[in-house]
Amino acid sequence: MVNLRNFDLNLLVIFRAIMARGSIAGAAEEIGLSPSAVSHALARLRVMLNDELFFRTADGVCPTDRARELSADIERGLGFISTAISLQHQFVPSEAKRVFTMQVADYVSGFLLPRLAERLQVEAPGVSFDILPFSISPESVWDRVDMQVRLTPGRLQPEMVRSQRLLADEIVVLMRRDHPRANDPMTAELYAELPHVKLSQSATGTTVIDDALAARGLERHMAMTVASWFEIPDIVAKSDLIAIAPRRLFSLDPRLRNLKASPLPLEEVVFSFDLCWDLRTEREPGQKWLRKVVSDVFKEIRT
């Protein structure tokens, strides 16, 4: 085991920067050192860890297998250290100058973001938000995102991700009112038989539906995949494709009122809106404040 008394933890910060930027020059720019200083630090780290860690390529550097293995643990450890230090500082919303990065599912954004903006312009005018798509690789998402608001989380990493149920909602199946099968009862068999349009995002919990269908020996036919929920109502209205949606969206999108809605015929499937965050930031004051704000907004929605 390495003796931490003789280990410079700044070397791990440099390691993380090289992993993130993929080059010595990029890492130097990120942490404010010269490229030669970063190269010297990497040489020390190679000796301490007895591995090359990175080898040069035409575009920069590429991590060794050992570096890839170490990366998650180093990122986790530095995250815990950063959180422990930040706990000494109080977060004052009215005085804060900070950017929070969130992923918000399309299904949720229509009623969450306007209320969030309204509240923050009064309570925390110096706070900004960067809303990212769910197309980010799951392996790197918690290096870039403070929290997620999503519809039914998938298989989370239990040791690193925490979640809170914000709101449960009924999921309905949408089709145009003059659909050839509009008068047929919506059964699991019919649901699987009809062609579907779905979101490409990974934040919709649709694997839960596929698992429920598979248990019945059924499989959906995905005729179209789109990038945004807001494209779906018009597609359903002009075709024989069907889709799913939370019933709560009917109060937000008038286009849905022209479609037929039937309960999803999979009784065991329960959908909810969930707030997810990284365990490393669970006690960080700014993150705790934001989680409470999001939770309060959903309490208002429920009432």
Side-chain angles (χ1 to χ4, degrees):
M1 180 176 292
V2 174
N3 186 346
L4 290 180
R5 292 176 58 187
N6 301 321
F7 194 96
D8 183 356
L9 293 180
N10 286 317
L11 297 178
L12 301 184
V13 176
I14 293 171
F15 172 91
R16 179 174 63 178
I18 298 173
M19 282 291 297
R21 299 296 292 269
S23 72
I24 299 297
E29 179 183 5
E30 178 171 318
I31 57 183
L33 294 176
S34 67
S36 61
V38 172
S39 295
H40 179 69
L42 177 57
R44 292 173 57 199
L45 195 57
R46 283 167 169 161
V47 172
M48 290 182 172
L49 299 180
N50 193 30
D51 189 87
E52 187 67 14
L53 297 178
F54 300 93
F55 55 88
R56 293 190 179 278
T57 67
D59 299 322
V61 295
C62 183
T64 64
D65 290 343
R66 175 63 172 153
R68 294 181 191 278
E69 292 173 0
L70 289 169
S71 179
D73 288 337
I74 289 174
E75 182 64 39
R76 184 181 299 120
L78 291 175
F80 280 124
I81 292 172
S82 177
T83 297
I85 294 172
S86 67
L87 287 174
Q88 301 176 30
H89 303 283
Q90 185 179 9
F91 182 83
V92 182
S94 61
E95 302 174 2
K97 303 291 183 183
R98 180 167 173 179
V99 178
F100 288 99
T101 303
M102 298 176 64
Q103 288 179 306
V104 180
D106 264 3
Y107 289 118
V108 187
S109 61
F111 54 81
L112 171 62
L113 297 184
R115 290 173 171 85
L116 197 58
E118 181 181 21
R119 175 164 174 172
L120 293 182
Q121 71 180 359
V122 175
E123 185 175 333
V127 169
S128 303
F129 284 92
D130 188 9
I131 308 298
L132 299 183
F134 273 89
S135 56
I136 300 173
S137 169
E139 290 76 17
S140 62
V141 64
W142 295 114
D143 296 336
R144 300 180 57 186
V145 172
D146 293 311
M147 63 189 65
Q148 299 174 331
V149 181
R150 55 190 293 159
L151 183 65
T152 303
R155 296 175 177 85
L156 302 177
Q157 303 175 38
E159 76 279 9
M160 288 302 296
V161 178
R162 294 289 183 265
S163 65
Q164 172 190 346
R165 175 164 292 187
L166 297 168
L167 180 70
D169 200 2
E170 179 189 8
I171 297 298
V172 295
V173 182
L174 303 174
M175 65 169 60
R176 60 187 175 93
R177 292 191 180 276
D178 58 347
H179 192 286
R181 307 295 296 273
N183 294 324
D184 295 345
M186 180 54 65
T187 62
E189 289 74 17
L190 179 60
Y191 176 72
E193 174 188 341
L194 296 176
H196 292 246
V197 55
K198 71 177 287 286
L199 282 176
S200 60
Q201 297 178 346
S202 61
T204 59
T206 52
T207 55
V208 178
I209 291 178
D210 292 324
D211 290 345
L213 289 172
R216 293 168 167 81
L218 301 172
E219 183 179 359
R220 292 188 291 176
H221 166 48
M222 294 301 177
M224 185 179 294
T225 301
V226 297
S228 169
W229 150 257
F230 298 101
E231 303 165 15
I232 289 180
D234 290 333
I235 293 172
V236 172
K238 298 180 183 298
S239 71
D240 288 343
L241 273 61
I242 65 171
I244 60 169
R247 187 174 288 279
R248 190 167 295 272
L249 285 184
F250 277 70
S251 63
L252 297 172
D253 193 332
R255 296 174 298 170
L256 296 181
R257 299 166 195 163
N258 299 320
L259 301 176
K260 179 182 178 182
S262 304
L264 181 69
L266 303 170
E267 299 81 5
E268 71 274 30
V269 175
V270 178
F271 278 81
S272 62
F273 298 106
D274 294 87
L275 175 63
C276 305
W277 65 92
D278 192 327
L279 174 62
R280 292 171 296 181
T281 62
E282 186 161 40
R283 296 190 298 155
E284 196 276 315
Q287 296 257 10
K288 289 176 67 176
W289 168 79
L290 180 56
R291 291 198 298 270
K292 184 179 185 305
V293 169
V294 173
S295 180
D296 288 347
V297 168
F298 271 85
K299 287 179 182 177
E300 295 171 4
I301 293 171
R302 288 200 300 269
T303 58

